[in-house]
Each structure stands twice: as structure tokens, then as C-alpha cells.
Amino acid sequence: MNTKKTSLLYLFGLILFVTLLSTSCSAKRWYVSSQGNDANKGTSEKAPFKTLNKAISAASTAKNDCSIIVIGVLNAESESGNDNAVFVIGQTGEGILTISGKEGGQGEQSAVLSGTDTNFPILRVEKKSVVRFENIEISASANAGLIVTGGSTVTLGKGVKINNNSGAGIIVEEKSALFMEDGEISGNGERGVYIAEECTFTMFGGRISKNTGFDLWGGGVYIGGSFTMEGGTISENLVESKVNGRGGGVCVWMEALFTLKGGQIINNKVTGWNRRGGVTNGSAGGVVVCGSPSGKTTFIMEGGEISGNSTERYAGGVLLITDQGEKGTFTMTGGTITGNTARGGGGVYDYGGRFTVTIDGGEVSGNTPDDVSDGWYW
């Protein structure tokens, strides 16, 4: 055997492997700045793309996980060209696409996807895309902040802020999924998170706080599908009820499932009760659970805390509500429901007495005017 020839072939193969590996690694990250140019390669901070659209198109060819780094503010003026949102993610590669700000970026380099001066949602993730966000702000739209649709999956990581949008912070629809590990969803004008039927939301951490709305069911989170809360905080959300607003913290709609394992639902509020006019039905400061004809509506409380919530009508902590022919299930095996206040039904109130209520653990105490009750309160 010619050892010299073998060594040369080995060396050539090694060089080729390193070259391909280097090319593959460099292609896993793209940069975007409103000061960039879509004619650039986009693979370095010094030669970024101008639009997120261009970066997403490049990332759609990736065979593994990849990332897009946003530098500074991107908006409708810098992006242009989308019909139903300022930014659209409809194609990703075979792995997870992470969209994030520059590590340590501050001031003008802080990553922001802005909806200023538009009536569009800011960002739409569709077509079964799998996306993770970190260190980025999605804010200032006259519409929703983020829409997750078409069977897509979105994860919110560290440093994410979805705030100050006139519509909902996040809308999840069409069999899509949302995971919240960290970050905050705050200051939005039409609840924090909306989860449609057949969609899921899993919350491990972060904050959903100070979202507001008029006559909404669910100021913090509305759930029509499945919501599992293992950590994080839902706090200081406000529903202003002029006719029929309920559930300052969480609304569990017909046939939905809410499993509370950890975290806090605290200091949420529903205001408004026009007793003389008889038109305002503001209730359930913390959690409202709405029964259904099928009886599938379910709230399972295994841990966590529901405290400090208030309403000017009934059910400060948890409201279980049904109309004729409707029913549901509330099972509590752990956690605490304490310090909630209302005019009637301070802790857990079964309005109509049609829910199956089982409390086998945890603590329900110190609520005003009472801890567990049922019937019809007017």
C-alpha cells in the first residue's frame, strides 16, 4: 500500500470535511438589521440582511436547528410586502428556528419587532413552523402582537416581551401550540393570551400581567383548548365589566381543560356591577370555569396558588358557572386558594350548583366572605 498516497487522501478528506462543517455552521446563523441590505450574504453582523423575510427564506433551507439575530428595530417601513401581518413566518427548515436579539444588545441594538403605525398583527407564524423566541420585543400594534396558526409551535424563552398591543398579546389557533418558559406578556388591550379549541398552552415560567379589556372572559388567559400551568405568574390583569365581563386571570371555556400544577394566579381583578340597572355581570376575579352541555369542561388543581384576586360581584377566587343543561368538573388535590374577595362566594363558588366539585387536598381558606359555596347569588 502506498502510505504517502493514503495520507494525502486522508488529508484531503479531512480538509473537505472541515470545509463543509465550517460552511454548515456559518449557515446556521443569519443577521437582520433595518440598516442592512437583502443583497448581502446575511451571515455576519457586518453584512446583515435588511428584512426578516429574507432571513426566513434563507433559514428555510436549513437541515438542522438555526437562528436569526435581529439587531435594532424592524417595522412595516423596513419590512414591507406582507398582506396580513407585518412579519410572516411560513417556512422554516427541518429543525427549530430561533429568532432572538443580539446577546447583550442594548439601546439601539435591542431587538424589536414593531407594529407602529399599522393595523396589522405584528407577527404571524404559520404552516407548521417551529419557532423559538429569545431576547426580543414584539410591541406597539393596533392589532394582536403574535398569531400562531396552521399547526405551528412557538416557544417563548428568556428576555421575550410581548407588550403594549391594542389587541391580544398572543392568539393561538388551528391546532397550534404555545410553550412559555420565560419572558413577559403585559400591557395588552385585549387579554394576554387567547387559546382556541384544539390548541394547547404550557406555561413553565414567565409573567402574564397587567393586560386589560372591556367585557372579556379572561383578562390574562382565555382557554378553549388545553392549558397546563406548571410555573410562572398570571397577575394584575383587569377586566372592566360594563355588561358581562368575567375571569380577571383565566377563563376556561366550554369543553376546555385547565390543569394547574404550579405557579401563581394572583391579584387579578374584575370591576363593574351596576346593581340598579341590572346590566353588569362582572365576576370571577381569579378563574372562571364555564360548564358545557357535554360536561367536559374540567379544572384540575394539583398545586399552585390562587390568591389576592377580587371582584365586585361573586367568586373572588374560582367561579364555576353553568346555565341549564350545562355541567363541568372541578377537582382539587393540592395548592392554595386564599385571600380572595367578592360580594359573594369568596373562594370557590359553584354558581348554579351543577359542577362536580371534589376537594381532596390543598387549602381553601381566608377568603371573603366565605371559602366554598354554591347556589344563586344576586
Side-chain angles (χ1 to χ4, degrees), residues 41 68 83 88 90 92 146 150 174 177 184 189 205 259 285-286 289 305-307 312 316 326 328 330 372 376:
K41 291 184 178 181
I68 294 172
D83 294 330
V88 177
T92 55
L146 169 63
E174 294 183 0
E184 66 178 48
T259 304
V289 187
E305 174 188 349
I306 301 175
S307 67
E312 296 174 16
E326 296 175 345
F330 171 55
V372 181
W376 303 93

Side-chain angles (χ1 to χ4, degrees), residues 99-283:
I99 299 180
S100 69
K102 178 183 175 182
E103 192 71 31
Q106 297 180 353
E108 293 183 355
Q109 291 198 325
S110 296
V112 180
L113 301 182
S114 173
T116 302
D117 299 327
T118 74
N119 291 318
F120 286 144
I122 298 174
L123 179 60
R124 182 180 175 91
V125 180
E126 58 187 20
K127 297 181 180 178
K128 298 183 179 180
S129 297
V130 181
V131 184
R132 179 183 180 88
F133 294 97
E134 292 185 352
N135 298 317
I136 195 165
E137 180 179 328
I138 301 172
S139 65
S141 172
N143 204 302
L146 169 63
I147 296 178
V148 186
T149 188
S152 298
T153 300
V154 165
T155 300
L156 307 181
K158 63 180 182 179
V160 174
K161 295 181 180 180
I162 301 178
N163 54 20
N164 300 326
N165 299 288
S166 296
I170 301 179
I171 296 173
V172 182
E173 59 186 17
E174 294 183 0
K175 298 182 180 181
S176 299
L178 174 67
F179 294 87
M180 187 173 185
E181 297 176 356
D182 203 344
E184 66 178 48
I185 302 168
S186 65
N188 299 288
E190 194 174 313
R191 72 171 56 90
V193 179
Y194 177 97
I195 307 295
E197 295 178 12
E198 300 185 277
C199 297
T200 62
F201 176 27
T202 306
M203 185 175 182
F204 298 105
R207 299 168 300 283
I208 301 174
S209 66
K210 298 181 181 179
N211 301 284
T212 61
F214 292 97
D215 287 327
L216 294 175
W217 287 51
V221 177
Y222 170 99
I223 177 72
S226 174
F227 176 26
T228 301
M229 184 175 179
E230 299 192 13
T233 303
I234 299 174
S235 66
E236 298 180 77
N237 299 284
L238 171 65
V239 172
E240 297 180 70
S241 179
K242 294 188 177 298
V243 178
N244 190 14
R246 294 174 179 167
V250 177
C251 172
V252 185
W253 191 243
M254 294 184 177
E255 299 194 359
L257 168 64
F258 178 27
T259 304
L260 179 59
K261 296 183 177 183
Q264 298 175 305
I265 301 173
I266 58 174
N267 302 330
N268 302 283
K269 183 182 293 187
V270 175
T271 62
W273 182 25
N274 186 349
R275 186 167 187 162
R276 178 175 295 177
V279 297
T280 301
N281 194 356
S283 51

Side-chain angles (χ1 to χ4, degrees), residues 280-310:
T280 301
N281 194 356
S283 51
V287 180
V288 58
V289 187
C290 309
S292 62
S294 68
K296 292 182 179 180
T297 310
T298 304
F299 179 18
I300 300 171
M301 186 170 178
E302 300 175 355
E305 174 188 349
I306 301 175
S307 67
N309 304 285
S310 64

Side-chain angles (χ1 to χ4, degrees), residues 12-36:
F12 175 76
L14 182 62
I15 292 171
L16 179 62
F17 173 76
V18 171
T19 301
L20 290 173
L21 181 62
S22 175
T23 302
S24 174
C25 288
S26 66
K28 288 184 177 181
R29 178 174 292 186
W30 292 269
Y31 292 82
V32 183
S33 167
S34 63
Q35 307 304 309

Side-chain angles (χ1 to χ4, degrees), residues 260 300-305 331-337 360-363:
L260 179 59
I300 300 171
M301 186 170 178
E302 300 175 355
E305 174 188 349
T331 303
M332 182 177 180
T333 58
T336 59
I337 302 175
D360 282 339
E363 177 186 356

